Amino acid sequence: MCSTFSVAAKPCIREGSGKLVCQKYYSNKITSTRAEVSIAPKQSSRLVFPELSKQGVPLTYFNIQETVKRQSLIHNPLMREDVCRKPRFHPSFLEQAYERCRKICAEYAKTFYLGTLLMTEERQKAIWAIYVWCRRTDELVDGPNAVHMSYEVLERWEERLHDIFDGRPYDMLDAALTDTVFNFPLDIKPFRDMIEGMRMDIKKSRYENFKELYLYCYYVAGTVGLMSVPVMGISPQSLIPTQSVYDAALYLGIGNQLTNILRDVGEDAIRGRVYLPQDELQQFGLCDKDVFSRKVSDRWREFMREQITRARFYFDLAEEGASQLDKDSRWPVWSAMMLYRKILDAIEDNDYDNLTKRAYVPRSKKLLTLPSAYSRSLSPASASTARF
């Protein structure tokens, strides 16, 4: 256990009046106000831990307004100025491309994949194609060839992204995304921002505070929410501004990534990475050494409780937007969101041991979630309850 503590993490004692007063530390000497320690109950020595801030970086920082405008235009592929650049793929080739995307999604994102099975066929294929591109991008940094990663590789990957959007795919999996780009009003900015997140992974393996971590979560996951809205569609009867729906989608991505981080703490530690705010670890009397030791202490449990509370906060923010999507998209989105929340439940069920155990949601629990998600998807939120 680390010996560095902030004031918020120091023990308290009880005055004769019953009021809790924190001890103060000066030059290795402890001083305090006059206290009747002898009559204080044993539980008074319990450490008082801070409540962590839930606020990240203001959404205006990411300049997504233009993306929202471009992706909100009524989309007709035949009216695109660059329609002549859309490659003419043979139907069987496209079928094979999307099938490969489906298999990759089914193998590597089981919880997410289950939600996609509730979508219409056209939306399924588009989401699979987007997922595969995002996964391939992530694997540049975390995959088997990550040792060869460099900024130059990411530059070439970004050039390849522009080729995809210009109708010049490099391989079959790229072709699936090219077809999706010409079928839905997707803007390139969220894709480019995700590549920026990979650049962060090259130069950073620690995050000093939650604002830094939030920025990373936006780049690698909030962007996925922005990519997905044009595919899911917004209901014509939506009661909140379009920008608010996109904000909610971004929050859903943040919640998903925070959940991924909490689920994968032990696995990331093996790779020498700690995706946890350093200042918050210190507030709980913890540090990297505690993560690498893989020992679950009471301090770790308290720390995890606060981290889980924050992840749930972002899922709560996402709910309003999920209820304003096209009626055929609400059920799969609600399902995916509720299934991801169950990963947080699984961490709690494991007594907050995410250092040696990977939180797992059994398929039976996933299936039992679907009726509840369907029920939530039937009732769009009222204007009076809009949070955004």
Side-chain angles (χ1 to χ4, degrees):
M1 182 184 297
C2 292
S3 58
T4 302
F5 302 91
S6 68
V7 173
K10 291 171 183 172
C12 295
I13 58 177
R14 190 176 300 277
E15 287 184 330
S17 63
K19 181 179 178 181
L20 286 176
V21 179
C22 291
Q23 295 174 336
K24 300 179 182 179
Y25 290 66
Y26 297 105
S27 304
N28 296 323
K29 294 181 180 180
I30 298 178
T31 61
S32 66
T33 57
R34 185 171 179 273
E36 298 177 20
V37 179
S38 60
I39 65 172
K42 291 183 179 180
Q43 60 266 29
S44 65
S45 61
R46 181 177 181 271
L47 295 180
V48 177
F49 294 98
E51 180 178 336
L52 301 182
S53 170
K54 299 181 180 69
Q55 302 303 319
V57 178
L59 296 187
T60 52
Y61 176 87
F62 303 112
N63 298 318
I64 64 173
Q65 291 83 356
E66 288 303 314
T67 292
V68 173
K69 289 180 181 179
R70 286 190 287 268
Q71 293 191 162
S72 300
L73 297 174
I74 297 176
H75 185 61
N76 181 351
L78 297 178
M79 298 296 292
R80 285 181 59 143
E81 295 179 0
D82 57 355
V83 67
C84 60
R85 290 188 293 177
K86 181 179 180 180
R88 298 180 181 275
F89 300 119
H90 192 280
S92 63
F93 173 80
L94 271 183
E95 184 178 350
Q96 292 178 47
Y98 281 118
E99 177 60 15
R100 285 187 60 186
C101 291
R102 184 196 69 78
K103 288 181 177 179
I104 293 172
C105 187
E107 181 177 357
Y108 294 103
K110 293 179 175 59
T111 298
F112 176 75
Y113 176 70
L114 185 59
T116 68
L117 296 181
L118 305 174
M119 299 177 185
T120 62
E121 182 180 354
E122 184 182 27
R123 285 171 173 153
Q124 278 182 347
K125 294 190 295 184
I127 290 297
W128 293 336
I130 291 171
Y131 168 82
V132 167
W133 183 87
C134 293
R135 179 171 182 80
R136 295 174 87 187
T137 302
D138 181 70
E139 284 197 336
L140 291 174
V141 174
D142 289 335
N145 296 316
V147 292
H148 306 296
M149 176 48 49
S150 66
Y151 289 107
E152 290 74 22
V153 171
L154 289 176
E155 287 296 327
R156 291 197 296 271
W157 187 250
E158 188 164 350
E159 291 172 4
R160 183 165 162 174
L161 171 67
H162 282 273
D163 287 340
I164 289 172
F165 271 75
D166 288 338
R168 300 190 302 272
Y170 181 79
D171 61 16
M172 179 178 282
L173 296 177
D174 284 357
L177 183 57
T178 291
D179 188 63
T180 295
V181 165
F182 279 84
N183 289 335
F184 293 91
L186 290 169
D187 184 38
I188 197 171
K189 183 181 185 299
F191 294 84
R192 294 182 62 186
D193 282 352
M194 176 169 279
I195 295 174
E196 187 61 31
M198 300 307 109
R199 293 190 179 98
M200 289 182 68
D201 253 332
I202 291 177
K203 63 184 179 182
K204 290 177 70 71
S205 60
R206 300 292 188 277
Y207 293 84
E208 290 303 316
N209 50 54
F210 180 59
K211 287 189 176 181
E212 282 193 11
L213 185 63
Y214 186 98
L215 188 64
Y216 173 75
C217 288
Y218 162 75
Y219 280 124
V220 301
T223 50
V224 179
L226 302 182
M227 298 171 193
S228 301
V229 174
V231 177
M232 300 302 178
I234 299 175
S235 171
Q237 289 78 41
S238 174
L239 301 172
I240 62 177
T242 297
Q243 179 69 52
S244 297
V245 177
Y246 274 87
D247 292 348
L250 192 157
Y251 289 136
L252 178 55
I254 298 292
N256 286 345
Q257 185 61 24
L258 290 175
T259 301
N260 286 339
I261 288 170
L262 299 182
R263 179 194 61 194
D264 299 339
V265 170
E267 296 175 17
D268 289 332
I270 293 174
R271 298 184 294 120
R273 293 183 174 274
V274 179
Y275 292 98
L276 299 168
Q278 294 290 307
D279 62 341
E280 294 177 0
L281 282 168
Q282 292 174 14
Q283 284 180 286
F284 285 77
L286 301 166
C287 62
D288 288 355
K289 181 179 177 181
D290 297 282
V291 178
F292 295 137
S293 70
R294 309 187 77 177
K295 292 182 179 179
V296 180
S297 64
D298 288 341
R299 292 179 183 278
W300 180 260
R301 293 185 182 94
E302 293 290 346
F303 176 68
M304 276 299 115
R305 284 191 184 98
E306 290 297 325
Q307 299 295 323
I308 288 173
T309 296
R310 182 157 55 199
R312 286 178 173 146
F313 169 78
Y314 282 99
F315 284 130
D316 290 344
L317 290 181
E319 286 188 6
E320 190 90 38
S323 296
Q324 304 298 329
L325 295 175
D326 182 86
K327 60 182 179 63
D328 292 331
S329 298
R330 291 178 203 148
W331 187 18
V333 172
W334 269 103
S335 297
M337 181 163 52
M338 293 174 72
L339 290 170
Y340 243 79
R341 277 174 157 160
K342 288 195 173 297
I343 296 175
L344 299 174
D345 296 341
I347 295 174
E348 292 175 330
D349 292 342
N350 287 340
D351 196 24
Y352 303 95
D353 182 3
N354 50 358
L355 295 172
T356 66
K357 299 178 182 178
R358 181 182 174 90
Y360 171 74
V361 182
R363 186 172 180 81
S364 58
K365 281 190 176 182
K366 292 179 181 179
L367 294 176
L368 289 173
T369 301
L370 299 184
S372 177
Y374 180 72
S375 177
R376 295 296 299 270
S377 72
L378 294 179
S379 303
S382 64
S384 62
T385 61
R387 295 189 181 94
F388 306 104

